[in-house]
Amino acid sequence: YGVLRALAAQVEADLRGAGIGAADRVAVVLPNGPDMAAAFVTIAQAAVTAPLNPAYQAKEFSFYLEDLRARAIVVPAGYDGPALAAAAALGLTVLRLHADMAAPAGQFRLTGPAAATPAPAGRPGPDAVALILHTSGTTSRPKIVPLLQSNVFASARGIAASLALTPADRCLNMMPLFHIHGLIAAVTASLAAGGSVWCAPGFDALKFFGWMTEARPSWYTAVPTMHQAILSRAARNRDVIEAHPLRFLRSSSASLPAQVMQALAETFKAPVIEAYGMTEATHQMACNPLPPRAQKPGSVGVAAGPLVRIAHEVENRLIDGTGEVVISGPNVTPG
């Protein structure tokens, strides 16, 4: 990880030179791939990251950038899309990410206007916000979810432990990197374990088995609809599955149908680990265990991150001498 650490130091220097301090919010509008993964990891060590869906339209960028109170925005070097107009209207500093195709994956440099007064040096502490995401929840207006450096660290370590990840593991990531699932489960959990991540440009069932051949992953994480699309093409790619065996498959972000879980396990001859999480909990909250413990279809598994408590009410009844109920309700103590 020496080159990644050096890149993080350079990104920090670039941000400070642009007047971006450790508490400033930096919106990141980049397509999926190693550059986006490396940008998230390095920017989050120097400021507050706020990844946004690059497919947003002008009105959506205007809303999210204003709601975030972003100080700067990172876009690809040749980008000329709707995020720029929204950023200009809000007076954001625009930083361009230049990827060197001849360099190792994820290597980039940032360019942008130099600030009259550079921001103070220093990295965020464990109680500083590292990542801000929006979640719709049950309200019509998206809610801001700020996650601390310590939240991200704890979740990454927790997921790595629940999956028994090691430096020998490599994750094939197809999840969008403006979403908590890909950012934490695929990228930061892998790095926390000393492993590696192979970043696809997005999900494409037609290219999945070609990616397996190129990436040689030991696992991948996806949502149920992705798993189903992969299964639909598995029969004609049995040679790839046999040549590149997976240690396990992971599913999260929605309930995995039991028949799909069974079909995946039989097809890949590997356990399917279903997990449950939410953005506010920095992704994973519960996870089915690895063998030799059983994976239970339709179950979120056991606590694997935050402490989980199952609450239920026991109805007690007070009965008088005639046998009639005089008080009935939850948590009523007979006496």
Side-chain angles (χ1 to χ4, degrees):
Y1 292 169
V3 176
L4 185 59
R5 280 194 292 270
L7 179 61
Q10 183 59 55
V11 167
E12 181 182 359
D14 292 340
L15 292 176
R16 300 295 179 262
I20 309 303
D24 288 326
R25 299 176 177 185
V26 180
V28 182
V29 182
L30 298 171
N32 251 34
D35 297 333
M36 174 58 201
F40 162 66
V41 171
T42 56
I43 293 171
Q45 294 183 58
V48 183
T49 51
L52 295 177
N53 186 346
Y56 281 154
Q57 299 301 309
K59 288 184 178 179
E60 293 169 308
F61 277 121
S62 295
F63 167 78
Y64 285 111
L65 291 174
E66 183 175 12
D67 199 43
L68 287 167
R69 300 193 300 278
R71 176 74 181 276
I73 185 170
V74 174
V75 296
Y79 180 82
D80 191 26
L84 287 182
L90 295 169
L92 273 60
T93 298
V94 177
L95 300 172
R96 299 276 184 174
L97 184 145
H98 301 259
D100 184 351
M101 299 306 294
Q107 190 83 305
F108 66 85
R109 59 187 178 90
L110 292 178
T111 61
T117 304
R123 288 190 171 181
D127 294 328
V129 175
L131 172 64
I132 291 181
L133 296 170
H134 279 86
T135 181
S136 57
T138 56
T139 63
S140 57
R141 178 184 173 88
K143 301 190 300 291
I144 282 180
V145 179
L147 300 170
L148 306 182
Q149 295 276 345
S150 54
N151 294 147
V152 173
F153 174 81
S155 184
R157 290 291 296 272
I159 294 170
S162 69
L163 299 175
L165 297 181
T166 73
D169 282 303
R170 176 175 297 160
C171 176
L172 167 55
N173 178 60
M174 303 165 289
M175 291 299 299
L177 292 177
F178 54 82
H179 188 274
I180 194 76
H181 182 158
L183 290 170
I184 305 299
V187 177
T188 56
S190 293
L191 297 181
S196 57
V197 190
W198 195 94
C199 298
F203 177 68
D204 188 336
L206 299 178
K207 297 180 179 179
F208 173 80
F209 291 99
W211 290 339
M212 275 194 70
T213 300
E214 183 177 350
R216 302 188 303 277
S218 61
W219 67 289
Y220 76 86
T221 184
V223 298
T225 52
M226 293 179 180
H227 287 301
Q228 289 170 314
I230 290 167
L231 269 178
S232 70
R233 300 189 61 80
R236 69 196 77 173
N237 289 281
R238 294 192 185 279
D239 57 332
V240 176
I241 295 172
E242 292 176 2
H244 305 286
L246 298 175
R247 184 164 71 85
F248 65 89
L249 298 74
R250 183 179 185 272
S251 185
S252 190
S253 299
S255 178
L256 183 68
Q259 64 272 25
V260 176
M261 185 177 188
Q262 182 177 353
L264 284 168
E266 292 174 352
T267 298
F268 286 90
K269 297 180 175 58
V272 180
I273 308 302
E274 185 171 13
Y276 171 75
M278 60 191 300
T279 304
E280 292 86 345
T282 326
H283 189 45
Q284 184 171 287
M285 299 170 65
C287 181
N288 271 260
L290 286 164
R293 298 174 68 186
Q295 292 78 49
K296 296 183 179 179
S299 169
V300 298
V302 298
L307 295 178
V308 176
R309 173 178 292 175
I310 307 300
H312 94 145
E313 292 182 337
V314 177
E315 183 177 62
N316 293 316
R317 296 186 172 196
L318 291 185
I319 303 174
D320 66 10
T322 66
E324 294 293 326
V325 175
V326 293
I327 300 177
S328 177
N331 303 320
V332 176
T333 302

